[in-house]
Amino acid sequence: MRLLFFFLCIMAANNLFCQPPGGSNTQFHVRPYLLFDKTIDKHFSSVPATGFIPGLQLAASQERNNLLLEVSMRYGKGTLSFSEKKQLRISKSLLTATASILYKLNRREETGSDLHAGLMIDFVRADKEYSDLINFNTSFETIASTSLVGDYMIKIGSNRPVSFRNRAFIAILSMYRQPVFGSSVASDSWSVGSIGEVNKWGDRFSVCKAITERLNLGLGYTWEYYRLNSERETISSMHSLSIEILFKL
Amino acid sequence: MRRIRKPYTVISICLLLFFAATSCKKTLQTSPPGTSAVETFEELWTFMDRHYALFDVKQIEWKMIYDKYRSTVTNAMTEAALFEVCADMLEELKDGHVTLISPFKTFTYENFYRLFPTNFNYPNISANYLGSSSKVSGPFIYTIKQGIGYLYCKSFRDDYTNEDLEKVFNELQSTTGLILDIRSNTGGKAGNVNRLVQKFLDKKTLVKYELVKSGPGHNQFLLPNAYYLEPTAIPYSNPVIVLTNRTCFSACNDFASYMNYLPQVTILGDQTGGGGSIPNNYILANGWTLQYSSTITLSADKIPIDAGITPDIYLNISPIDETNGIDPLIEKAFLLLK
């Protein structure tokens, strides 16, 4: 409920402060997804643990003049296992929140394509529990990043009902927090890392078709990767397929 | 035609770049590490080098141990032979919390008790000391004779309820002294230890310090974290004699350490088996499971307890006593409490 409240607050703020004079061009996105996760937490093993994490992403976006503003929140929980030890289960939950502001680079409307570039602030919290191991059997990473984002969208067809969209990001500056090297207890401090210490990037591709004037449906594929090159090295590579449900206000 | 071709060209380029980026496995480094004999040995040694907490406490030169065993490992050797080399290397640590588990064999260091007299014969105790008047509550077996209580706690592994504990101490409250037998208790959960210790506290008591590794260096630790236990409503305040042997290990060793600092408590028997650290697990790339000591536990006066707790009174069971069904530790404890 707290997460939902937080999400609604962000959306409300977005609508209050970013409402264009001539009316809004606001869209709400609902994305149920299935994510395939491949994680290495070198405190527990150098062997990747893999599994599926189902979840839901909610997002709101608004175009205003040459700006595209978007906030999103995603939560999923699933079970991973090692290929060598199938019986050893890892419960993993993944929470992400993003806020991005992108500037429209192309000015020609008649091409049916839009190219945006800008910044994204995102927050990732991954919790892992190795329930079959003893004692310090939980771990987590919290990563807050500022990323460069590029977004390209093209609409095709006679009335342009079908849209393809590709958005890529790469983190340029991050703060992260993990447990203390030898335990499950959270470290007292946050660490700051730029590219190299925190490698984090992703790409999202989606195709949508307008069903009605206010409803678009489609499919999306997202690939994300992050690696904390800390003393407690953690790597996660995620592929997710989502159903895109887009409401236009 | 030109207007149609251009979007498809752009989409194609985007997709090409996208799949090129996402298929770059070498950069992403999520493929499993190698599992050859040499790679497995290196992985095991390196992980222990970074995570094992007791090198300095045990004064072990881990690099020298690497030099000793690395030369015996080749990729041509069998998995079983590699396991033997790894087990021999780990045995140098002389740590009962260090275990290596493969599908075909398990190594655990056991000489912390195997090289010493057992000093415990439960059938004798059951037949000659507990008798038919003994009662059972959770993991506790107890009896009262001549106003002195005898309480045997066989393990801290299985959880017990507060009702189990209250039932025992409601009856033992009337005794003038208590023999608390923790021999051959190989440990278990810290919570079970704490609740039993709390029955003997009359005030908030410092019981231990825990040192957690803060980095991969052998002496990289956070500052000692102090642990206190609170008393329960009605503590047992009469004299207590705790019976120990070398098989009292891990959480049992902690229990002996905590009780050792209480003024009404005497430790009688042999030194405990040690294991004063929190064990943790690691899965090697070839699927073997490693258990290792991940912390250092210090007693209330900041002495490492990994080597075991020294009793106030040393006493062993001779083979003749054992044959005759006599437990000199229980006999001595009765004499001291009378």
Side-chain angles (χ1 to χ4, degrees), chain B residues 92-242:
Chain B
E92 300 268 3
L93 299 169
K94 295 182 173 56
D95 186 338
H97 273 148
V98 172
T99 300
L100 187 64
I101 303 167
S102 74
F104 51 89
K105 199 169 183 183
T106 296
F107 159 78
T108 303
Y109 179 75
E110 293 177 329
N111 282 347
F112 66 89
Y113 70 91
R114 283 196 186 280
L115 299 177
F116 302 92
T118 308
N119 282 329
F120 185 68
N121 186 320
Y122 185 73
N124 279 349
I125 294 171
S126 181
N128 302 325
Y129 296 94
L130 286 171
S132 56
S133 63
S134 66
K135 295 177 181 175
V136 177
S137 180
F140 307 110
I141 302 168
Y142 62 103
T143 189
I144 299 172
K145 284 193 176 163
Q146 298 168 40
I148 294 169
Y150 172 83
L151 172 60
Y152 171 51
C153 179
K154 60 181 177 181
S155 173
F156 291 114
R157 210 152 263 121
D158 299 326
D159 290 329
Y160 55 86
T161 63
N162 287 333
E163 288 71 31
D164 291 334
L165 195 60
E166 290 308 318
K167 184 184 167 193
V168 173
F169 277 88
N170 283 343
E171 293 200 40
L172 292 176
Q173 249 349 305
S174 63
T175 59
T176 56
L178 176 65
I179 300 167
L180 181 42
D181 197 343
I182 53 168
R183 286 176 292 173
S184 296
N185 178 329
T186 53
K189 297 175 184 171
N192 293 337
V193 169
N194 295 347
R195 283 197 290 152
L196 185 56
V197 171
Q198 284 174 301
K199 293 302 294 180
F200 301 96
L201 304 180
D202 58 358
K203 60 179 187 293
K204 185 180 175 183
T205 304
L206 171 68
V207 291
K208 69 169 177 178
Y209 293 91
E210 201 76 57
L211 272 78
V212 172
K213 289 208 77 178
S214 61
H218 287 190
N219 53 11
Q220 253 185 295
F221 291 93
L222 297 178
L223 290 173
N225 195 9
Y227 281 80
Y228 292 85
L229 288 179
E230 300 278 353
T232 52
I234 309 167
Y236 185 89
S237 53
N238 292 327
V240 178
I241 294 184
V242 177

Side-chain angles (χ1 to χ4, degrees), chain A:
Chain A
M1 278 309 291
R2 278 185 193 173
L3 293 177
L4 183 63
F5 177 72
F6 174 74
F7 179 73
L8 290 172
C9 285
I10 289 179
M11 287 200 302
N14 191 39
N15 276 303
L16 277 175
F17 298 114
C18 306
Q19 191 75 14
S24 71
N25 185 7
T26 303
Q27 299 179 342
F28 287 96
H29 309 251
V30 179
R31 296 182 186 121
Y33 65 84
L34 184 64
L35 183 150
F36 177 74
D37 187 20
K38 191 173 184 181
T39 287
I40 297 174
D41 187 332
K42 291 197 174 176
H43 183 73
F44 296 99
S45 182
S46 55
V47 182
T50 56
F52 289 95
I53 300 176
L56 183 70
Q57 183 175 38
L58 301 174
S61 63
Q62 190 174 71
E63 279 193 83
R64 180 190 180 192
N65 301 325
N66 292 319
L67 290 179
L68 175 62
L69 307 164
E70 187 173 301
V71 289
S72 75
M73 182 162 278
R74 177 179 72 168
Y75 180 76
K77 189 170 185 179
T79 304
L80 315 183
S81 63
F82 293 112
S83 56
E84 290 286 338
K85 282 194 172 289
K86 292 279 185 202
Q87 75 280 12
L88 206 161
R89 299 283 170 178
I90 303 148
S91 172
K92 181 172 180 179
S93 65
L94 191 68
L95 171 71
T96 61
T98 69
S100 54
I101 179 164
L102 291 95
Y103 184 73
K104 191 174 181 178
L105 298 176
N106 62 318
R107 299 297 173 90
R108 292 175 59 195
E109 300 293 337
E110 71 273 13
T111 60
S113 66
D114 280 336
L115 181 62
H116 289 84
L119 289 174
M120 177 174 80
I121 294 169
D122 76 314
F123 167 93
V124 176
R125 168 80 185 202
D127 284 283
K128 293 162 274 183
E129 184 181 1
Y130 296 69
S131 51
D132 296 317
L133 302 183
I134 55 169
N135 295 316
F136 301 130
N137 62 353
T138 59
S139 187
F140 73 90
E141 54 265 0
T142 306
I143 312 168
S145 306
T146 303
S147 304
L148 294 176
V149 186
D151 184 293
Y152 181 78
M153 188 181 75
I154 186 161
K155 291 179 178 175
I156 59 170
S158 56
N159 291 319
R160 292 178 178 155
V162 178
S163 63
F164 292 89
R165 179 164 223 150
N166 194 72
R167 175 177 289 200
F169 73 89
I170 180 165
I172 49 172
L173 189 65
S174 302
M175 289 170 66
Y176 65 94
R177 197 176 182 208
Q178 289 179 285
V180 173
F181 181 77
S183 101
S184 292
V185 181
S187 169
D188 288 337
S189 58
W190 289 75
S191 303
V192 178
S194 58
I195 297 171
E197 189 171 349
V198 180
N199 299 334
K200 188 161 170 280
W201 56 77
D203 196 300
R204 171 175 182 75
F205 178 77
S206 62
V207 54
C208 278
K209 187 174 189 308
I211 305 298
T212 66
E213 197 178 327
R214 292 189 179 276
L215 175 67
N216 282 20
L217 289 178
L219 290 171
Y221 169 71
T222 308
W223 173 80
E224 294 153 279
Y225 173 85
Y226 66 79
R227 178 182 183 182
L228 299 180
N229 277 320
S230 62
E231 284 176 337
R232 200 170 161 134
E233 187 178 348
T234 301
I235 303 166
S236 193
S237 173
M238 296 168 277
H239 304 261
S240 59
L241 279 173
S242 59
I243 296 169
E244 305 279 320
I245 306 167
L246 193 154
F247 303 97
K248 290 181 180 175
L249 293 186

Side-chain angles (χ1 to χ4, degrees), chain B residues 48 52 54-55 58 60 62 65 88-96 98 109 292 306:
Chain B
M48 288 294 280
Y52 185 68
L54 299 172
F55 287 125
K58 291 174 173 284
I60 287 167
W62 191 233
I65 290 172
D88 288 347
M89 178 175 77
L90 295 175
E91 190 158 22
E92 300 268 3
L93 299 169
K94 295 182 173 56
D95 186 338
V98 172
Y109 179 75
Y292 62 98
D306 193 70

Side-chain angles (χ1 to χ4, degrees), chain B residues 205-209 211 224 226-227 257-258 260-261 297-305 309:
Chain B
T205 304
L206 171 68
V207 291
K208 69 169 177 178
Y209 293 91
L211 272 78
Y227 281 80
S257 174
Y258 301 172
N260 196 26
Y261 285 89
T297 304
L298 305 177
S299 63
D301 52 5
K302 292 195 174 177
I303 296 168
I305 64 168
I309 307 304

